[in-house]
Amino acid sequence: MMKLYNFHASSTSYRTRIVLNLKGLEYEYISIRLDRGEHLGFSYGEINPMRGVPTLEVDGVRLYQSPAIIEYLEELYPDPPLLPQDALGRAQVRALASIVGSDMHPVNNLRIRNFVRDTYKQDADGVAAWIGLWNQAGFSAIETMLRADKYRKGFCYSDAPTIADAYLVAHAFSAVRFKTDMSPYTEINAVIANCNALKPFADAHPSKQPDAGG
Ligand SMILES: N[C@@H](CCC(=O)N[C@@H](CS)C(=O)NCC(=O)O)C(=O)O
């Protein structure tokens, strides 16, 4: 069985769990407690050289970086498809996912938040302002793109979840946790509600994971 080294509240873990669930894949949940710095210890450094979660282990081989892991799962388990059949559609879905994965998450990652706090002497409000700045930029762009797509029916693309929905739902959870105001993003909120009504999304929620709380 595959092993997923992950943490309940990590959005990159959450997006990967959503994709695993949408594909109906079972995996062993291995908790790496970011809140206790477990990813910084020697043993996790041996598992993942970047010391980030998730890591997916398949037949003893370790895969890193959630975008690469998600594309690997899509290639190996194409049913249900989480990317559109046509190249233009795939570019659209990957663009939405990349706004989250490349523009929003990296600047708000734990190590960056800690750097902002420690080096620039920011309190919780200052760090939240940093996070909110980049979340607002990304969510505004996504909201604009969703509104412009006249062919959408309830999800980020067309009428079924794609990888873009997995990225969006997971990042929005983190954004709310860090007090980003989501009220301006009505299309995004509607997509999130539709996704969360589906069992694969609900089961991937941080609150449902074995290492939640504590
Ligand atoms: N680009 C990587 C990022 C992985 C990553 O950094 N994940 C976060 C949790 S969401 C983490 O482990 N952060 C630890 C840190 O910043 O020290 C991916 O998508 O897998």
Side-chain angles (χ1 to χ4, degrees):
M1 192 192 294
M2 289 188 275
K3 292 182 186 173
L4 186 69
Y5 296 83
N6 75 134
F7 182 56
H8 69 285
S10 142
S11 65
T12 52
S13 301
Y14 186 7
R15 69 170 80 132
T16 306
R17 293 194 300 266
I18 292 170
V19 169
L20 285 160
N21 290 352
L22 284 166
K23 303 263 177 209
L25 298 168
E26 286 188 18
Y27 59 91
E28 182 185 345
Y29 190 108
I30 300 179
S31 171
I32 303 296
R33 292 220 62 123
L34 299 187
D35 56 344
R36 295 180 195 156
E38 282 179 7
H39 60 303
L40 303 175
F42 174 77
S43 55
Y44 192 63
E46 293 280 289
I47 292 168
N48 184 317
M50 266 306 280
R51 299 176 180 279
V53 288
T55 300
L56 184 71
E57 193 171 303
V58 185
D59 296 332
V61 177
R62 287 171 184 147
L63 306 182
Y64 312 121
Q65 295 289 333
S66 60
I69 293 170
I70 286 169
E71 294 269 347
Y72 166 86
L73 293 171
E74 177 68 4
E75 286 176 25
L76 226 65
Y77 305 97
D79 191 27
L82 300 182
L83 284 170
Q85 298 304 309
D86 63 299
L88 270 180
R90 288 196 293 278
Q92 198 173 322
V93 166
R94 286 183 173 126
L96 289 166
S98 293
I99 290 174
V100 174
S102 304
D103 295 343
M104 299 169 79
H105 172 267
V107 284
N108 286 348
N109 203 355
L110 175 61
R111 69 194 74 154
I112 306 302
R113 300 197 304 269
N114 288 346
F115 188 83
V116 168
R117 182 194 64 200
D118 298 339
T119 306
Y120 297 113
K121 310 293 176 221
Q122 293 299 311
D123 60 12
D125 287 345
V127 175
W130 168 272
I131 292 169
L133 181 68
W134 307 117
N135 278 342
Q136 193 185 16
F139 285 133
S140 299
I142 292 172
E143 181 76 11
T144 301
M145 289 165 72
L146 295 184
R147 287 184 188 192
D149 181 353
K150 302 294 173 224
Y151 300 103
R152 271 188 340 102
K153 294 194 188 84
F155 293 90
C156 280
Y157 181 87
S158 192
D159 60 355
T162 60
I163 65 168
D165 299 280
Y167 279 72
L168 183 61
V169 165
H171 196 79
F173 168 84
S174 290
V176 169
R177 204 174 134 226
F178 291 107
K179 311 217 179 321
T180 296
D181 176 15
M182 294 298 290
S183 62
Y185 313 120
T186 51
E187 294 301 318
I188 290 176
N189 289 330
V191 165
I192 291 169
N194 288 338
C195 289
N196 283 336
L198 302 176
K199 186 169 162 48
F201 282 85
D203 288 350
H205 193 273
S207 65
K208 301 271 182 59
Q209 306 314 307
D211 56 349

